[in-house]
Amino acid sequence: MVTGGAGYIGAHVVQALRRDGHDVAVIDDLSTGSRDRLTNDTPLFPCSVLDTELVTDSLRAHGSELVVHVAAKKAVEQSIAEPLMYYRENVIGMHSVLTAMVQAGTRKMLFSSSAAVYGTSTGDLVDEQADTAPASPYGWTKLMCEQMIRDTAVAAGLDWMALRYFNVAGAADPGLADRGENNLIPKVFRAICSGVPPQIFGDSYPTRDGTCIRDYIHVADVADAHAAAVRGMSGGAPSAIYNIGTGSGTSVLEVMHTARRITGRDFDWDVRPPRAGDSPAVVADAAKIRAGLGWESRYDLDDIIGSAWQSWSSRIEIPLAR
Ligand code: UD1
């Protein structure tokens, strides 16, 4: 059962798990998700994860052995403005899903966590042992959920994994694309298509070109990591937390240059003051999952920006530059 399976990341996870031969069903409240991201033969239980009884009934009806819990709110800035909404949807949502799993006898949980649990890092590669110090309510909700799983696993005998995503972008096909505009790459596309320069938040960071460095990971790689985790859990791999990143950092300026080359649009950018709470550099040490589950990323920044641009262009019906 994939919660949030009609959303951007969840639908990619559903596709990867079906490719591996799993009988996948979806719980989604369709607040940001959409039925059209799912094939017609994918069972959809249209309910909120907060409705414990309906989630329990759905798990029982589908005979679910494993829950991939993706459903959550994920905009960092919104979480600062509306923390109680984030604690309700993400933390109480997790409480509800775990309660339903215990009631339905579902014993395996794969959780979508985030690099946001690390907070502002030192600029080195971040491994799973790094201190956690979330810089936003969003990051705190993910860390609290990890703890709730650990404690429930001990009491109820659950097997679990938590995948800490770094900066997810791109699309496996246009129909599955991110339709939100919270993150850098869609914001750049929006800006260049409106003829407005995209913004760079700060160019005086202690990085190679002064702009922030992030680890951009293709959503198809993220989905494959879930398939690897499910294979691992089915084969008795121990419960664990894994980073999901490429291990290689890209600066905001490098994103701009790549976007210029791939879109074929000649645009400039505006340098703005730094955004509150941004780290100079957050890059995954991805060694643990390579050793533990045999997963590593396959796609690079060109693939990420290329696939995102293809989806964006088909959505707003502008001709592709290449
Ligand atoms: C944050 C979270 C990440 C989460 C993601 C989801 C942290 C540490 N990271 O990533 O875990 O998955 O949100 O939303 O909380 N930028 C610009 N101009 C813009 C927009 C962004 O220069 O118009 C820069 C930012 O300063 C940042 C980079 O681009 O350096 C990426 O920003 P964004 O896409 O918002 O994601 P993060 O904040 O890195």
Side-chain angles (χ1 to χ4, degrees):
M1 180 68 75
V2 180
T3 71
Y8 163 54
I9 296 175
H12 282 89
V13 171
V14 170
Q15 189 184 60
L17 294 176
R18 282 172 60 94
R19 207 180 291 130
D20 260 10
H22 297 289
D23 178 11
V24 184
V26 166
I27 289 174
D28 201 299
D29 68 1
L30 303 176
S31 57
T32 54
S34 175
R35 181 77 178 88
D36 64 29
R37 285 206 181 92
L38 300 172
T39 55
N40 288 336
D41 60 345
T42 304
L44 170 67
F45 297 91
C47 74
S48 163
V49 291
L50 293 169
D51 190 331
T52 312
E53 293 319 308
L54 270 181
V55 175
T56 307
D57 291 347
S58 308
L59 294 176
R60 286 192 177 128
H62 189 64
S64 298
E65 293 165 10
L66 184 150
V67 171
V68 187
H69 183 38
V70 184
K73 299 290 172 197
K74 63 164 190 173
V76 174
E77 281 177 326
Q78 187 187 26
S79 81
I80 295 166
E82 298 179 68
L84 293 176
M85 194 262 276
Y86 272 68
Y87 286 109
R88 183 186 68 226
E89 295 292 326
N90 295 3
V91 179
I92 301 176
M94 172 61 90
H95 183 277
S96 174
V97 170
L98 287 170
T99 303
M101 287 175 63
V102 170
Q103 288 176 174
T106 307
R107 294 267 168 255
K108 292 183 168 60
M109 154 68 81
L110 175 56
F111 173 55
S112 299
S113 191
S114 170
V117 300
Y118 296 120
T120 43
S121 75
T122 60
D124 298 327
L125 291 183
V126 185
D127 70 20
E128 293 83 350
Q129 301 300 315
D131 289 344
T132 50
S136 67
Y138 167 73
W140 276 110
T141 67
K142 292 294 180 181
L143 192 58
M144 288 178 180
C145 286
E146 288 184 1
Q147 189 60 41
M148 208 189 306
I149 299 171
R150 256 196 218 97
D151 294 338
T152 310
V154 171
L158 305 185
D159 296 324
W160 61 275
M161 288 187 188
L163 305 182
R164 291 176 174 168
Y165 311 160
F166 282 65
N167 289 63
V168 184
D173 68 60
L176 300 186
D178 190 2
R179 297 171 195 171
E181 286 170 26
N182 291 317
N183 296 112
L184 175 63
I185 293 169
K187 279 170 120 178
V188 170
F189 294 163
R190 160 65 59 210
I192 62 181
C193 291
S194 340
V196 175
Q199 300 183 335
I200 291 183
F201 296 150
D203 67 352
S204 304
Y205 284 97
T207 60
R208 54 183 176 257
D209 61 20
T211 66
C212 289
I213 290 179
R214 294 290 181 271
D215 188 339
Y216 296 92
I217 174 91
H218 197 300
V219 67
D221 277 331
V222 173
D224 284 346
H226 289 73
V230 169
R231 282 194 294 276
M233 291 171 84
S234 306
S239 297
I241 290 174
Y242 291 112
N243 283 343
I244 305 295
T246 66
S248 151
T250 303
S251 73
V252 178
L253 205 51
E254 288 160 356
V255 168
M256 296 294 175
H257 284 292
T258 308
R260 196 146 72 170
R261 176 165 51 76
I262 287 190
T263 63
R265 304 275 174 130
D266 188 19
F267 63 89
D268 273 321
W269 40 83
D270 275 346
V271 176
R272 314 288 303 172
R275 184 173 68 174
D278 268 342
S279 288
V282 187
V283 179
D285 180 331
K288 183 178 173 187
I289 189 166
R290 192 160 53 239
L293 298 177
W295 173 87
E296 60 186 334
S297 65
R298 293 183 294 155
Y299 297 106
D300 65 13
L301 190 70
D302 277 21
D303 299 320
I304 292 171
I305 294 188
S307 65
W309 177 243
Q310 194 179 19
S311 311
W312 182 274
S313 311
S314 60
R315 190 178 81 177
I316 64 166
E317 293 171 353
I318 57 166
L320 282 174
R322 63 168 227 174

